[in-house]
Amino acid sequence: MTYETSQTSAVPAADGPAPRAQRWLRRNKVPEVTVYFWIIKVLCTTVGETAADLLNEKAGLGLTGVSVLMSALLAVTLVVQFRTSAYRPGVYWLAVALISVVGTLISDNLTDNMGVPLELSTTVFAVALAVVFVVWYRRERTLSIHSIDTPSRESFYWLAVLFTFALGTAAGDLVSERMDLGYWLSAVLFALAIAAVAVARFSLGLDAVWGFWIAYILTRPLGASIGDYLSQPGGDGGLGLGTVITSALFLTVVLGLVVYLAVTRKDVIEPEQTSRHAA
């Protein structure tokens, strides 16, 4: 959306060295958007759907109790994330996985406990996300995920991520409920929608920032549909693997990919790259 360098990337003055704070670029706190990013994002989304169902059914805490527990775990993880000096794959993706669970629980609480119609919750989450983007841009003059290098930008980023999960949950449930497509057809529908965003981005010139966030929202119902298809009983249109096996399977894959990225650093945005990215 806009080209930029970090605020700490000032050129040294001609009459002497720059102050120490200006001699290095702040490190980005989020990963580069690669194929690994999208794979892990979808897997975390699937885990968010199945884990929320698993905890609600097996933990005996009820929807409200599970919501409180997972929100507390998310808060602790975000504190750790904010205290890190750079992107750390393990901390970052743990936060995403927990936000996936919490976002699902927020939507489920509104629908199941409070009786809020999906049309209303979808609208509310969409408006809330739009407000976050407007305030974020007015304050920072960019929505670039390649410059999440200050506490302010990181706060806006995680708030936007939370609302994308809540919006994706509500909108995905609304579409599935209204169209009654079943789990695997719903997954195909959302996958095609993401493919359309990719075509618009690379062939029609859709802005990189908006293309990213639209795809980010759509991966939520995509992952949820995949999770439901694998975990739900055959009589309900699923494969009947159950929430335990499905959650364990996807968590194992996520863990393996995160360890791989931590070792190879294939998704790390180096400081000198920041000024060359637009999204």
Side-chain angles (χ1 to χ4, degrees):
M1 192 163 188
T2 179
Y3 290 86
E4 64 180 313
T5 58
S6 174
Q7 294 175 350
T8 55
S9 60
V11 177
D15 56 352
R20 188 172 186 274
Q22 293 182 335
R23 291 204 300 267
W24 57 282
L25 288 169
R26 290 178 181 173
R27 292 184 177 275
N28 201 44
K29 298 288 293 293
V30 303
E32 177 66 280
V33 181
T34 65
V35 64
Y36 299 107
F37 177 93
W38 291 116
I39 291 174
I40 299 176
K41 169 59 169 63
V42 172
L43 293 177
C44 283
T45 298
T46 304
V47 169
E49 178 73 10
T50 58
D53 292 342
L54 173 62
L55 291 171
N56 188 32
E57 295 169 1
K58 306 294 185 181
L61 299 176
L63 194 56
T64 301
V66 172
S67 300
V68 172
L69 173 63
M70 299 311 295
S71 295
L73 291 175
L74 173 60
V76 172
T77 303
L78 286 178
V79 168
V80 176
Q81 166 66 23
F82 272 81
R83 290 175 65 87
T84 60
S85 60
Y87 162 62
R88 300 288 183 266
V91 179
Y92 174 87
W93 287 111
L94 176 59
V96 171
L98 289 172
I99 282 186
S100 176
V101 176
V102 171
T104 299
L105 291 169
I106 289 173
S107 181
D108 288 347
N109 269 290
L110 289 174
T111 303
D112 299 337
N113 283 354
M114 301 181 185
V116 177
L118 286 171
E119 294 87 349
L120 178 58
S121 59
T122 299
T123 302
V124 169
F125 290 138
V127 171
L129 181 59
V131 170
V132 171
F133 283 143
V134 169
V135 176
W136 181 358
Y137 187 78
R138 285 177 65 87
R139 181 182 175 89
E140 304 293 339
R141 309 310 301 173
T142 180
L143 299 178
S144 173
I145 64 165
H146 294 278
S147 57
I148 309 300
D149 51 10
T150 68
S152 174
R153 291 180 179 183
E154 192 171 10
S155 297
F156 284 121
Y157 175 84
W158 287 110
L159 193 58
V161 168
L162 175 61
F163 282 124
T164 61
F165 274 108
L167 174 59
T169 300
D173 290 346
L174 179 61
V175 170
S176 299
E177 183 178 289
R178 290 292 180 269
M179 300 182 70
D180 195 25
L181 295 176
Y183 300 129
W184 76 270
L185 279 179
S186 295
V188 171
L189 173 65
F190 292 119
L192 289 174
I194 293 172
V197 174
V199 170
R201 166 71 185 100
F202 295 109
S203 300
L204 304 177
L206 175 66
D207 181 82
V209 171
W210 293 117
F212 169 83
W213 284 112
I214 293 170
Y216 201 94
I217 293 170
L218 289 171
T219 56
R220 173 59 187 81
L222 171 63
S225 297
I226 294 173
D228 285 337
Y229 178 63
L230 293 174
S231 63
Q232 295 304 309
D236 294 333
L239 292 181
L241 295 181
T243 54
V244 175
I245 294 177
T246 303
S247 298
L249 174 63
F250 281 81
L251 279 173
T252 300
V253 177
V254 168
L255 179 60
L257 288 174
V258 170
V259 170
Y260 172 76
L261 293 175
V263 173
T264 63
R265 295 173 59 83
K266 286 183 176 293
D267 62 341
V268 174
I269 304 176
E270 298 298 341
E272 63 268 19
Q273 293 178 311
T274 305
S275 62
R276 297 201 297 269
H277 285 286

